[in-house]
Amino acid sequence: MNNQTKKMTEGAMMVAIVGMLLFINRQLAGMLEMVMYWVLTFPILMYTARYGVKSACVPAISMVLLSFMIAAPTTIFYLFSCDVVGIVYGAGIRKKWKNGTLLLWTGIFTFVSYLITTVLFAAMFGYDPADDVEMVKMLLDFMHIDIGIPLAKIVTYVVIGSAILMTVLQTMCIHMIANVVLKRMHIETRAMKSIFEIKVPKSVGYTIIMIWVLFLVRNVLKLNQDVYGLLLGVYGAARIFAIGYGVMTLLCILLLFCKRIFLLFVIIGMFLPYVQGAIAIIGVLDMIVDLRGIWLEVLKRGVVHGTSGEH
């Protein structure tokens, strides 16, 4: 089988896989696209990583044309956005981009698709911000709660924050699964950092502390509604990031001490209100003083080197 025939055969197979996924999604009343439509990214991603962007254009267009026959308009847009992300990611693999660059471009295109579905095509995708505002207003009036911020602005912040959060999660899922699949296909990829090597600068920890302090003294500062709403959104984002980093820190420490039985409790704890705060504090401490490094040093040498000597 020559190379051109192999390209055509594999391209047809990728289109068939997408067609099967679209058919399953239709039989499940759109459940697949509601939960994890990003799985449609992988067929064109793998094909692009193997044969390049120019060769991937034909199966990508074929996938979109196939979706016009067996998919709803919303599914067509999801498939188109997945094709774009897959082609960009696959092109990055061929050009040997760093993992950070791959994540950045994947995140950008994913975020744009989320904004389009929640803002430009909101009515078509079954999302109406006005209805959400009215529902929240009725709930707050029923509970006699006055938050002092226009609800329309709150919904805007929630929409943008949700889009950012979902973009990060989806980008990570695509990157990790693609890394595993491409290695199985014997396609060269850059090695991913282990959970012990992922670290952020200390300045991020200090910035989160500053945001928390500003949020705690917000009433003293007498901020106007716009600034208060912005601070509320930034505080929420900082808290989510700190909780995620704290979970990663605790998982690393438990793995170091071979206490795998407690891993599930850490995952459950991140959803509990008061436990969240403790996990967030652990995450910020790890950003500043490197808790994982300290415990790793303990296991390696059996001592902790402090300013007052060994302990």
Side-chain angles (χ1 to χ4, degrees):
M1 183 183 294
N2 58 42
N3 189 50
Q4 193 65 28
T5 305
K6 185 178 180 182
K7 281 184 182 181
M8 295 175 59
T9 304
E10 291 191 13
M13 182 178 66
M14 295 304 172
V15 175
I17 292 174
V18 170
M20 181 188 66
L21 292 174
L22 293 177
F23 179 76
I24 293 173
N25 178 67
R26 190 179 184 89
Q27 297 303 309
L28 296 176
M31 186 179 298
L32 179 62
E33 70 181 58
M34 291 172 56
V35 178
M36 48 188 303
Y37 75 89
W38 45 268
V39 297
L40 297 170
T41 303
F42 296 109
I44 195 64
L45 186 155
M46 293 183 290
Y47 191 86
T48 306
R50 185 183 289 275
Y51 296 111
V53 176
K54 186 177 180 179
S55 299
C57 289
V58 175
I61 295 174
S62 301
M63 292 173 186
V64 175
L65 293 176
L66 178 63
S67 67
F68 277 97
M69 293 185 285
I70 59 176
T74 55
T75 311
I76 296 173
F77 173 79
Y78 284 136
L79 176 61
F80 175 77
S81 63
C82 288
D83 280 348
V84 173
V85 172
I87 290 175
V88 171
Y89 193 101
I93 291 294
R94 288 183 64 85
K95 293 181 179 180
K96 303 185 185 304
W97 286 353
K98 295 181 179 179
N99 287 330
T101 306
L102 287 172
L103 288 169
L104 175 63
W105 283 106
T106 303
I108 289 174
F109 284 102
T110 302
F111 182 69
V112 170
S113 69
Y114 270 113
L115 285 185
I116 291 175
T117 56
T118 55
V119 179
L120 296 181
F121 296 158
M124 186 177 71
F125 283 82
Y127 174 76
D128 189 355
D131 290 343
D132 289 348
V133 171
E134 189 62 28
M135 182 181 66
V136 174
K137 183 178 179 180
M138 292 176 58
L139 180 62
L140 294 177
D141 290 342
F142 176 76
M143 301 178 67
H144 303 288
I145 298 176
D146 183 14
I147 57 177
I149 306 177
L151 291 177
K153 293 184 178 180
I154 292 180
V155 172
T156 301
Y157 294 140
V158 170
V159 168
I160 296 176
S162 299
I164 294 175
L165 180 60
M166 293 303 297
T167 296
V168 173
L169 294 175
Q170 181 173 316
T171 301
M172 292 176 61
C173 289
I174 291 174
H175 180 62
M176 290 187 291
I177 296 176
N179 198 275
V180 174
V181 173
L182 292 174
K183 285 183 177 178
R184 292 288 184 180
M185 296 175 63
H186 304 290
I187 296 176
E188 184 180 355
T189 59
R190 289 182 178 270
M192 294 176 58
K193 289 185 177 180
S194 69
I195 193 173
F196 299 98
E197 298 173 321
I198 300 176
K199 295 181 181 179
V200 299
K202 292 183 179 180
S203 57
V204 176
Y206 292 122
T207 301
I208 292 177
I209 291 177
M210 183 179 66
I211 293 172
W212 286 356
V213 172
L214 288 175
F215 184 78
L216 291 175
V217 300
R218 61 189 182 279
N219 294 327
V220 178
L221 298 176
K222 297 181 180 180
L223 304 174
N224 59 42
Q225 291 183 347
D226 292 334
V227 177
Y228 177 73
L230 179 61
L231 177 61
L232 182 62
V234 173
Y235 169 79
R239 183 179 177 86
I240 292 173
F241 183 79
I243 292 172
Y245 205 85
V247 168
M248 184 176 64
T249 301
L250 290 174
L251 293 179
C252 288
I253 294 175
L254 291 174
L255 289 174
L256 285 174
F257 286 91
C258 300
K259 302 295 183 179
R260 298 177 183 270
I261 191 173
F262 297 107
L263 296 180
L264 180 60
F265 293 101
V266 174
I267 302 298
I268 296 175
M270 66 183 292
F271 298 101
L272 302 179
Y274 294 103
V275 180
Q276 285 180 350
I279 294 176
I281 292 174
I282 293 174
V284 174
L285 287 175
D286 186 47
M287 297 177 199
I288 297 174
V289 301
D290 191 14
L291 293 177
R292 285 174 289 170
I294 292 175
W295 286 110
L296 186 60
E297 189 74 14
V298 169
L299 291 180
K300 283 183 176 180
R301 303 184 181 182
V303 296
V304 178
H305 297 278
T307 56
S308 59
E310 296 183 355
H311 302 280

